[in-house]
Amino acid sequence: MGNVAVPVKFMSNKTELAWCKKSSYNLKKMEVELKLKLLVLALLMVGAIADPQIRLINKGCSQYNATNLLNFYQNLNATFVDLRTQVSNQSKNFATAQEAKGADPVYALFQCRKYLSNADCAACFDVAAAQIRNCSAGANGARVIYDGCFLRYESSGFFDQTTLPGNSMICGNQRAVGATSTTFNATARQVLMDLQIATPKISGFFAATKTQVAGGGAIYAIAQCAETVTESGCLDCLTVGVTNIQSCLPNTDGRAFDAGCFMRYSEISFFPDNQTIDITPFLKQDGSSKKGAIIGGVVGGVGLVVILLALFAWLRWYQKPKRAPRGDILGATELKGPVTYRYKDLKSATKNFSDENKLGEGGFGDVYKGTLKNGKVVAVKKLILGQSGKMDEQFESEVKLISNVHHRNLVRLLGCCSKGQERILVYEYMPNSSLDKFLFGEKNGSLNWKQRYDIILGTARGLAYLHEDFHVCIIHRDIKPSNILLDDDLQPRIADFGLARLLPEDQSHLSTRFAGTLGYTAPEYAIHGQLSEKADTYSFGVVVLEIISGQKSSELRDDAEGEFLLQRAWKLYEGDMHLELVDKTLNPDDYDAEEVKKIIEIALLCTQASAAARPTMSEIAILLKSKNLLGHMRPAMPVFVESNFRSRVDISISTAGSSTTSNATVSTSVLSAR
């Protein structure tokens, strides 16, 4: 029995990179790993009796997270219980299960090799179920492949999938040598080709063979497809598998795996002899001429056949319609870097970065609308080289982090480009532009209450993912309406991660150069440079008040009071006059007064003077979804950072900011009780 491969995670040497504190999740993960080790130890102790073949061949975790973790885990646990019951109580070696309750359905599939005993099959499932839970909390897709079994779950149906990008092979390190090398190679190729042809025609899509090698020894081989695929699908999958596994020769053992099939050969027996079947009848069913052609190809022109098969497999993959990346396919479940675009293609797509195509300007560069040669519309961000290598830091941060951040409420980075001093980022294009256009611009007043609520909730979920669910804690630093884009359905997508940095695990704050927009910035960050995820919480609270009121946080109301938004919101809260803050363009019949009052109070909880008193973004998302009132939770007085307001103080701080923040450039107001 092979050793169990233990996955190892590596951390970057870059001092700015660090893990978030996620003690509860880490404890849970340690518990799962301990159970897995104990299970493996128990299996090793009875190795003379049982062999579930739990050598780990391949594993992968989705880049995407479930939206409702409680609902997701309930569904995941239910499917695993169902699979385990089918395997142990019904003696199945292939099982599927699904739970579609709530917003995060789970589809799961388990298959073990048919030569395993019922006990070994169940044991392999237990190891696989424990291993697959090592994925980050909430990963909505994952799979593990062992010598003895395969387990996979996704958020949508996949049972008919066969060959997908990510198919590969693992080769042994022993080679056939001497006079038997040529004979071994020829025999192994013939065995694998025969399995490719016969297995799709066999009920259950499984075949095991033992073939003698001239000069001594034997080749043990199996091929297996998922029982939910079609005969043609099984053949397609094994065609790719044969191409992959033949590259292992002249090594004496090899494995090929794909989304819907598995192949293995070895000179050492890995299944009982009584599990073999005679596949000859299945080779003859298509006529002797076809069999003869195959044999002739192997004996007389093996190299040509391999080349043609590789070309055939590549053409099938290339012509297959490309699906939107979901992280659920075999190869896409590993974190990958962004696509590299050619500069001349982006230059052409944006009409030479013309003003006509300019979408907006950011702290580190301009954004252009681009149309690629395939017709896909993208947003192209052309970074500006600043002093002290800011541009390089921006580029490195966005490319390394954001290319692997995938959430429905975050703008996705598609790729990048480097040419000389030029650094360019390519994002998915949002046709509805940014939220500020709907609140303060030409589309002012066009959002109804439900749309505003969805934007508030989606933004909270996106930030919660950045802070707590991605494998490192990312602080945005510059949450504001212009950095919240809207998709076709007016759902929010948080943009511009150029200001993102990573929160060190061993510090409660990080002193760094100021990067943000005063008026949305938490006082402890703007004044003292103390940065934590609670700085984003403060900014989110200000944005929520803007969404509800339609008033800019940085503008004085045009009335006798002349108050800024946060000041006005606190004053109305104290007088139990919350609804006076609501945008007058909203129809009172479209919203529930108590719900609006609750969300205003949530916003004020976010803007409290003490960062420690502010809730986390995951807590905020729960509060927003809850039908209950806040109960005992009462906001304390906020601190308002006054900036760029000529009536109060004359300063000049840009989004990119200077390297240090002087207390003389910012003033604060404590909004005292009245």
Side-chain angles (χ1 to χ4, degrees), residues 1 13 37 103 112 146 165 213 220-221 234 261 319 345-346 351 389 419 438 481 493 507 571 585 601 658 669:
M1 178 172 65
N13 290 328
K37 291 175 182 177
C112 60
Y146 292 89
V213 178
Y220 299 83
C234 180
C261 63
Q319 294 170 357
D345 290 338
L346 297 180
K351 298 180 180 178
K419 180 178 174 63
F438 287 81
R493 302 285 192 94
Q507 298 181 24
K571 177 181 175 181
T585 65
E601 292 180 13
S658 57
S669 295

Side-chain angles (χ1 to χ4, degrees), residues 282-572:
F282 302 100
L283 299 176
K284 294 180 178 179
Q285 283 182 1
D286 290 337
S288 59
S289 61
K290 182 175 180 180
K291 173 76 183 289
I294 295 172
I295 295 175
V298 174
V299 176
V302 170
L304 178 60
V305 172
V306 172
I307 293 172
L308 290 174
L309 283 171
L311 180 61
F312 174 70
W314 180 83
L315 286 172
R316 286 190 61 84
W317 173 84
Y318 185 81
Q319 294 170 357
K320 185 181 290 290
K322 303 301 186 291
R323 298 175 54 189
R326 279 184 54 257
D328 64 346
I329 60 176
L330 209 60
T333 48
E334 271 83 20
L335 297 182
K336 297 181 177 180
V339 174
T340 300
Y341 290 89
R342 295 190 301 178
Y343 182 81
K344 67 176 184 179
D345 290 338
L346 297 180
K347 185 176 179 180
S348 173
T350 59
K351 298 180 180 178
N352 197 19
F353 303 101
S354 67
D355 289 341
E356 172 190 349
N357 281 47
K358 183 179 288 189
L359 296 173
E361 299 177 356
F364 283 86
D366 300 337
V367 182
Y368 300 85
K369 180 178 179 180
T371 304
L372 302 177
K373 290 181 179 179
N374 61 5
K376 183 179 180 63
V377 180
V378 295
V380 181
K381 183 177 182 181
K382 190 176 184 182
L383 302 179
I384 299 173
L385 178 62
Q387 296 178 352
S388 303
K390 285 181 184 176
M391 185 276 296
D392 287 332
E393 293 176 15
Q394 163 88 351
F395 186 74
E396 181 180 356
S397 173
E398 294 207 60
V399 169
K400 288 189 175 181
L401 286 176
I402 308 311
S403 63
N404 285 313
V405 174
H406 300 280
H407 188 274
R408 64 181 181 178
N409 296 119
L410 301 173
V411 174
R412 186 176 172 221
L413 176 63
L414 301 177
C416 59
C417 172
S418 298
K419 180 178 174 63
Q421 293 298 307
E422 297 277 10
R423 297 292 185 275
I424 300 173
L425 301 174
V426 181
Y427 291 95
E428 58 182 337
Y429 175 70
M430 294 292 112
N432 281 315
S433 189
S434 54
L435 177 60
D436 61 320
K437 304 293 193 300
F438 287 81
L439 295 179
F440 320 121
E442 63 273 13
K443 299 179 182 179
N444 176 33
S446 61
L447 294 174
N448 60 36
W449 171 250
K450 183 182 183 305
Q451 290 166 336
R452 297 187 195 216
Y453 171 80
D454 287 345
I455 292 169
I456 292 170
L457 179 60
T459 304
R461 286 173 168 169
L463 285 173
Y465 177 82
L466 290 175
H467 292 174
E468 302 169 44
D469 293 333
F470 192 50
H471 68 278
V472 289
C473 178
I474 298 177
I475 305 172
H476 189 287
R477 301 194 196 192
D478 199 20
I479 293 297
K480 56 185 178 181
S482 60
N483 278 337
I484 299 173
L485 307 186
L486 301 178
D487 65 15
D488 289 323
D489 299 319
L490 295 179
Q491 294 298 307
R493 302 285 192 94
I494 300 172
D496 196 351
F497 293 89
L499 305 176
R501 292 295 182 267
L502 304 175
L503 180 62
E505 183 179 20
D506 58 349
Q507 298 181 24
S508 62
H509 70 274
L510 174 67
S511 295
T512 183
R513 71 172 184 269
F514 178 79
T517 302
L518 289 174
Y520 298 94
T521 307
E524 72 276 4
Y525 178 40
I527 300 170
H528 303 295
Q530 295 176 346
L531 179 64
S532 74
E533 67 270 25
K534 296 298 183 71
D536 283 348
T537 302
Y538 181 97
S539 303
F540 172 80
V542 175
V543 171
V544 170
L545 294 177
E546 290 186 322
I547 292 172
I548 292 174
S549 67
Q551 177 187 344
K552 280 187 178 181
S553 66
S554 58
E555 290 183 353
L556 290 167
R557 270 183 64 82
D558 188 18
D559 57 20
E561 295 289 338
E563 295 165 318
F564 291 108
L565 176 59
L566 187 54
Q567 293 172 302
R568 181 167 177 254
W570 178 255
K571 177 181 175 181
L572 293 174

Side-chain angles (χ1 to χ4, degrees), residues 125-409:
F125 174 84
D126 291 339
V127 173
Q131 177 66 261
I132 209 167
R133 291 181 184 274
N134 282 332
C135 288
S136 62
N140 71 350
R143 44 92 181 128
V144 289
I145 303 173
Y146 292 89
D147 271 341
C149 63
F150 169 67
L151 176 64
R152 180 183 177 189
Y153 74 83
E154 300 291 350
S155 60
S156 63
F158 63 92
F159 300 151
D160 61 342
Q161 291 182 357
T162 55
T163 179
L164 292 170
N167 58 76
S168 189
M169 73 288 175
I170 292 182
C171 305
N173 53 16
Q174 299 295 322
R175 298 169 65 91
V177 295
T180 62
S181 175
T182 303
T183 306
F184 180 89
N185 282 0
T187 306
R189 291 183 188 278
Q190 182 65 62
V191 166
L192 296 170
M193 294 285 288
D194 287 348
L195 283 173
Q196 171 203 343
I197 296 168
T199 304
K201 302 172 185 176
I202 299 172
S203 177
F205 297 147
F206 175 83
T209 62
K210 177 184 177 181
T211 306
Q212 298 297 326
V213 178
I219 294 175
Y220 299 83
I222 66 164
Q224 185 178 35
C225 292
E227 294 183 18
T228 46
V229 305
T230 63
E231 179 179 332
S232 62
C234 180
L235 178 60
D236 291 344
C237 193
L238 293 178
T239 299
V240 177
V242 165
T243 301
N244 287 335
I245 201 170
Q246 284 186 343
S247 65
C248 289
L249 295 170
N251 291 21
T252 57
D253 64 278
R255 300 159 178 83
F257 54 86
D258 207 332
C261 63
F262 180 82
M263 300 187 79
R264 180 182 178 187
Y265 77 89
S266 176
E267 66 174 355
I268 300 173
S269 174
F270 56 92
F271 55 82
D273 282 359
N274 63 6
Q275 295 294 315
T276 62
I277 64 171
D278 180 12
I279 63 173
T280 305
F282 302 100
L283 299 176
K284 294 180 178 179
Q285 283 182 1
D286 290 337
S288 59
S289 61
K290 182 175 180 180
K291 173 76 183 289
I294 295 172
I295 295 175
V298 174
V299 176
V302 170
L304 178 60
V305 172
V306 172
I307 293 172
L308 290 174
L309 283 171
L311 180 61
F312 174 70
W314 180 83
L315 286 172
R316 286 190 61 84
W317 173 84
Y318 185 81
Q319 294 170 357
K320 185 181 290 290
K322 303 301 186 291
R323 298 175 54 189
R326 279 184 54 257
D328 64 346
I329 60 176
L330 209 60
T333 48
E334 271 83 20
L335 297 182
K336 297 181 177 180
V339 174
T340 300
Y341 290 89
R342 295 190 301 178
Y343 182 81
K344 67 176 184 179
D345 290 338
L346 297 180
K347 185 176 179 180
S348 173
T350 59
K351 298 180 180 178
N352 197 19
F353 303 101
S354 67
D355 289 341
E356 172 190 349
N357 281 47
K358 183 179 288 189
L359 296 173
E361 299 177 356
F364 283 86
D366 300 337
V367 182
Y368 300 85
K369 180 178 179 180
T371 304
L372 302 177
K373 290 181 179 179
N374 61 5
K376 183 179 180 63
V377 180
V378 295
V380 181
K381 183 177 182 181
K382 190 176 184 182
L383 302 179
I384 299 173
L385 178 62
Q387 296 178 352
S388 303
K390 285 181 184 176
M391 185 276 296
D392 287 332
E393 293 176 15
Q394 163 88 351
F395 186 74
E396 181 180 356
S397 173
E398 294 207 60
V399 169
K400 288 189 175 181
L401 286 176
I402 308 311
S403 63
N404 285 313
V405 174
H406 300 280
H407 188 274
R408 64 181 181 178
N409 296 119

